[in-house]
């Protein structure tokens, strides 16, 4: 009996020890709701107005915070529950903090070699947090976040966020949005883009010689808010047989989402109603696609990554420099979506006023042809690799775009042919708020179907 009592006392002692440790850990841990509120406060995220939470375990006084956290894609729930009082782990906290900083895309591209601890899904966040000094290498990603680590993590993240990811208190997305809005407030502006590209087409047949095409393009753009655009395009190419320059010009004018197109070989304009396509794009982008500027929605949809580079001084003018590159797979997905929508819309467009419309309609109306076109487009996109990097120079004084530089490499394989294209472009924005000139097009200037 004495032995039994000793064993029982030992068991009680062990259980009490575990309970004490458990309570100590619980008291020292940080819950999901605590971290959510701290993140909103630390990164000065604007709270959504009112509204009940869609989760069944959120108190009324907390719904505004959780709605904001979910809307900003910083955290999500567990079905119908958010589990606000659940203790959060170090890796979960890192993920929420990195998302709050707007750096998730960069975390997903981090080199995770050497990251041995942590869940597979979290290793990008862990690598990013270590690289930026948000955490140190000794932290256990799977352990419950303690208040000491929580304080350190938030402090380090906010310091990095404010010193490296902001200019004049603006994140890179805020700066791009401000530049776009400032330009729109001027109502009008002009831009000139100079592009040079070299395309090499290689055949799998050894007897076939590579075909190299050099091209230069000048685009003169005039814009008036909200969406009126006129572009004059002058393209120069070498004639491969005579080695002489071939110069081609074209004009595109869009007003009220009606597009008019004319090339140097045409006397009259071709008219197309772009409202169906533009409406489809706007439903995806959540903003206009026709302003020659960038929005966060467009960056997100096209898989673009924006970050600040070192400030530059050029010809006595000070610039904030924003670099943007593109994720190849995301770009292919959106191009495929646009191409599919274009094929569908083309089959139903009634406002293309040119003499070839009947032939185009008859071809596209045949479901077999429509499917063939879709398969060709899908194959082209699937076999395309793209690398594109842009640098936007934002005038520190005016907070408007001043210039842009772009480099692009594109590789496509199709039906035994390989096409490699290397392009560089440079744009200059100017004449903000000045007069612009657009073509005056009457019904007599439009090419009709009967011609």
């Amino acid at each position: 009996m004495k032995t039994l009592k000793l064993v029982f006392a030992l068991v009680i002692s062990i259980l009490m020890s575990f309970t004490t440790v458990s309570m100590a850990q619980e008291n020292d841990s940080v819950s999901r709701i605590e971290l959510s509120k701290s993140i909103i406060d630390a990164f000065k995220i604007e709270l959504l107005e009112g509204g009940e939470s869609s989760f069944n375990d959120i108190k009324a006084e907390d719904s505004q915070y959780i709605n904001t956290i979910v809307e900003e894609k910083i955290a999500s729930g567990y079905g119908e529950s958010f589990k606000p009082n659940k203790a959060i782990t170090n890796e979960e906290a890192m993920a929420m903090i990195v998302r709050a900083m707007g750096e998730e895309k960069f975390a997903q591209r981090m080199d995770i070699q050497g990251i041995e601890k942590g869940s597979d899904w979290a290793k990008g966040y862990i690598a990013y947090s270590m690289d930026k000094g948000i955490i140190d290498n000794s932290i256990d990603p799977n352990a419950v976040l303690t208040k000491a680590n929580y304080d350190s993590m938030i402090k380090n993240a906010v310091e990095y966020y404010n010193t490296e990811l902001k200019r004049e208190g603006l994140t890179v997305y805020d700066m791009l949005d401000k530049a776009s809005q400032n330009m729109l407030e001027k109502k009008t502006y002009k831009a000139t883009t100079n592009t040079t590209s070299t395309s090499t087409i290689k055949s799998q047949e050894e007897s076939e010689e590579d075909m190299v095409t050099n091209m230069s393009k000048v685009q003169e753009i005039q814009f008036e808010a909200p969406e009126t655009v006129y572009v004059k395009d002058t393209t120069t190419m070498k004639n491969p047989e005579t080695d002489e320059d071939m110069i081609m010009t074209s004009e595109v004018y869009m007003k009220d989402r009606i597009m008019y197109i004319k090339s140097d070989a045409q006397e009259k304009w071709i008219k197309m109603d772009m409202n169906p396509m533009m409406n489809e794009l706007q439903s995806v982008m959540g903003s206009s696609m026709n302003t020659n500027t960038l929005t966060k929605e467009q960056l997100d949809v096209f898989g673009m990554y924006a970050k600040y580079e070192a400030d530059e001084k050029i010809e006595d003018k000070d610039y904030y420099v924003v670099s943007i590159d593109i994720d190849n797979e995301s770009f292919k997905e959106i191009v495929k979506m646009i191409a599919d929508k274009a094929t569908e819309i083309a089959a139903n467009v009634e406002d293309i006023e040119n003499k070839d419309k009947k032939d185009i309609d008859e071809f596209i109306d045949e479901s077999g042809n429509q499917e063939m076109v879709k398969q060709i487009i899908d194959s082209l996109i699937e076999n395309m690799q793209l690398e594109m990097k842009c640098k936007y120079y934002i005038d520190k004084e005016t907070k408007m775009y001043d210039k842009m530089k772009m480099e692009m490499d594109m590789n496509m394989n199709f039906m035994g042919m390989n096409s490699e294209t290397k392009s560089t472009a440079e744009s200059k924005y100017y004449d903000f708020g000045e007069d612009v000139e657009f073509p005056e097009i009457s019904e007599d200037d439009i090419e009709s179907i009967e011609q």
Side-chain angles (χ1 to χ4, degrees):
M1 179 66 72
K2 185 176 181 180
T3 303
L4 184 59
K5 286 182 178 179
L6 287 171
V7 171
F8 182 73
L10 180 61
V11 169
I12 293 296
S13 175
I14 291 171
L15 287 173
M16 288 298 292
S17 297
F18 275 122
T19 304
T20 304
V21 171
S22 176
M23 287 177 66
Q25 288 178 340
E26 186 66 26
N27 290 336
D28 192 41
S29 66
V30 179
S31 68
R32 281 164 58 81
I33 184 66
E34 285 179 293
L35 184 60
S36 296
K37 289 181 176 180
S38 292
I39 283 175
I40 287 172
D41 180 57
F43 295 102
K44 295 179 172 56
I45 299 170
E46 187 175 348
L47 284 170
L48 295 178
E49 292 184 7
E52 295 182 0
S53 172
S54 60
F55 301 111
N56 57 22
D57 55 356
I58 297 299
K59 298 176 182 177
E61 62 265 29
D62 292 336
S63 61
Q64 198 173 8
Y65 296 96
I66 300 307
N67 289 346
T68 302
I69 281 289
V70 172
E71 178 68 21
E72 295 292 327
K73 299 181 180 177
I74 294 170
S76 57
Y78 301 85
E80 295 182 355
S81 303
F82 186 79
K83 299 185 180 180
N85 298 317
K86 180 178 179 289
I88 200 161
T89 64
N90 287 318
E91 64 183 17
E92 290 170 338
M94 289 180 229
M96 288 179 67
I97 289 170
V98 169
R99 290 170 190 155
M101 294 163 64
E103 292 287 280
E104 181 169 32
K105 289 182 178 180
F106 291 103
Q108 292 170 344
R109 303 170 82 193
M110 293 295 294
D111 182 359
I112 61 174
Q113 289 186 357
I115 306 295
E116 297 177 356
K117 295 182 179 181
S119 306
D120 287 343
W121 67 264
K123 288 187 175 179
Y125 300 109
I126 298 166
Y128 181 95
S129 299
M130 288 181 177
D131 184 65
K132 308 307 180 187
I134 297 171
I135 60 170
D136 60 47
N137 295 3
S138 65
I139 198 167
D140 180 358
N142 295 117
V144 170
L145 176 67
T146 64
K147 284 188 166 57
N149 280 342
Y150 154 77
D151 290 338
S152 173
M153 208 180 286
I154 290 286
K155 177 179 175 294
N156 293 338
V158 169
E159 184 177 346
Y160 178 78
Y161 180 71
N162 287 331
T163 57
E164 300 296 329
L165 301 182
K166 285 188 174 183
R167 300 289 188 273
E168 296 186 38
L170 299 175
T171 67
V172 67
Y173 298 109
D174 292 335
M175 183 65 77
L176 290 171
D177 184 61
K178 189 173 186 64
S180 297
Q181 291 303 316
N182 286 345
M183 291 174 74
L184 288 174
E185 286 176 8
K186 291 292 184 180
K187 303 298 184 186
T188 62
Y189 64 81
K190 299 175 185 176
T192 300
T193 300
N194 290 277
T195 305
T196 60
S197 63
T198 299
S199 297
T200 304
I201 299 177
K202 301 178 180 180
S203 172
Q204 292 180 350
E205 300 291 334
E206 293 184 2
S207 58
E208 294 282 343
E209 292 186 4
D210 295 349
M211 185 171 76
V212 180
T213 304
N214 293 305
M215 182 185 74
S216 63
K217 180 189 292 283
V218 178
Q219 288 181 307
E220 299 170 87
I221 303 162
Q222 298 191 59
F223 171 83
E224 182 175 67
E227 289 185 343
T228 304
V229 182
Y230 171 63
V231 181
K232 183 176 181 180
D233 185 304
T234 303
T235 301
T236 304
M237 296 176 61
K238 287 285 185 185
N239 186 318
E241 296 179 358
T242 64
D243 201 38
E244 294 179 349
D245 285 343
M246 298 187 298
I247 300 175
M248 297 157 284
T249 61
S250 63
E251 297 172 82
V252 176
Y253 175 49
M254 184 178 290
K255 183 177 176 62
D256 299 327
R257 296 189 176 180
I258 304 295
M259 180 181 287
Y260 303 87
I261 306 170
K262 185 172 73 170
S263 69
D264 52 7
Q266 297 172 290
E267 291 185 5
K268 296 194 174 185
W269 297 83
I270 294 171
K271 177 182 176 183
M272 298 178 66
D273 185 351
M274 296 300 293
N275 272 283
M277 174 61 79
M278 297 298 286
N279 290 338
E280 290 286 351
L281 291 177
Q282 187 160 327
S283 69
V284 175
M285 303 296 181
S287 59
S288 172
M289 281 288 294
N290 202 28
T291 62
N292 206 37
T293 57
L294 291 168
T295 67
K296 188 176 187 303
E297 291 94 337
Q298 291 165 15
L299 293 175
D300 287 342
V301 169
F302 279 101
M304 292 179 173
Y305 302 79
K307 66 178 181 180
Y308 282 117
E309 299 286 355
D311 299 351
E312 291 190 29
K313 190 181 189 73
I314 303 173
E315 296 178 354
D316 295 327
K317 189 176 283 190
D318 293 315
Y319 295 101
Y320 294 122
V321 182
V322 175
S323 69
I324 297 174
D325 60 355
I326 193 166
D327 178 89
N328 182 59
E329 293 306 314
S330 298
F331 183 77
K332 287 199 289 189
E333 285 181 17
I334 192 67
V335 170
K336 183 177 182 302
M337 183 276 292
I338 293 172
D340 289 346
K341 291 295 182 185
T343 304
E344 293 173 14
I345 291 168
N348 300 298
V349 167
E350 298 180 357
D351 217 8
I352 300 178
E353 299 187 10
N354 73 65
K355 59 187 177 183
D356 298 319
K357 181 181 185 297
K358 183 178 179 182
D359 292 339
I360 294 169
D361 285 348
E362 288 177 354
F363 180 81
I364 294 178
D365 282 343
E366 294 182 23
S367 59
N369 289 335
Q370 190 171 344
E371 183 60 29
M372 179 186 71
V373 171
K374 185 176 182 299
Q375 288 177 0
I376 291 173
I377 292 172
D378 289 349
S379 179
L380 280 169
I381 295 170
E382 183 63 30
N383 290 284
M384 177 181 72
Q385 296 295 319
L386 178 79
E387 289 185 11
M388 186 174 74
K389 296 182 182 296
C390 299
K391 276 190 178 182
Y392 284 84
Y393 293 78
I394 298 172
D395 188 320
K396 286 187 179 183
E397 184 178 348
T398 64
K399 303 292 187 301
M400 293 193 294
Y401 293 113
D402 186 274
K403 61 185 69 179
M404 182 276 290
K405 295 180 180 179
M406 181 274 290
E407 293 182 0
M408 183 182 75
D409 289 349
M410 186 169 65
N411 190 308
M412 284 197 301
N413 288 289
F414 186 68
M415 297 180 66
M417 307 291 286
N418 177 263
S419 172
E420 297 176 358
T421 301
K422 294 183 178 294
S423 302
T424 61
E426 185 164 345
S427 298
K428 174 69 177 174
Y429 301 86
Y430 57 97
D431 283 359
F432 300 103
E434 300 293 329
D435 291 340
V436 288
E437 294 183 9
F438 297 123
E440 294 184 5
I441 302 174
S442 67
E443 289 300 318
D444 292 337
D445 298 322
I446 299 171
E447 189 172 296
S448 65
I449 299 172
E450 289 76 25
Q451 285 184 303

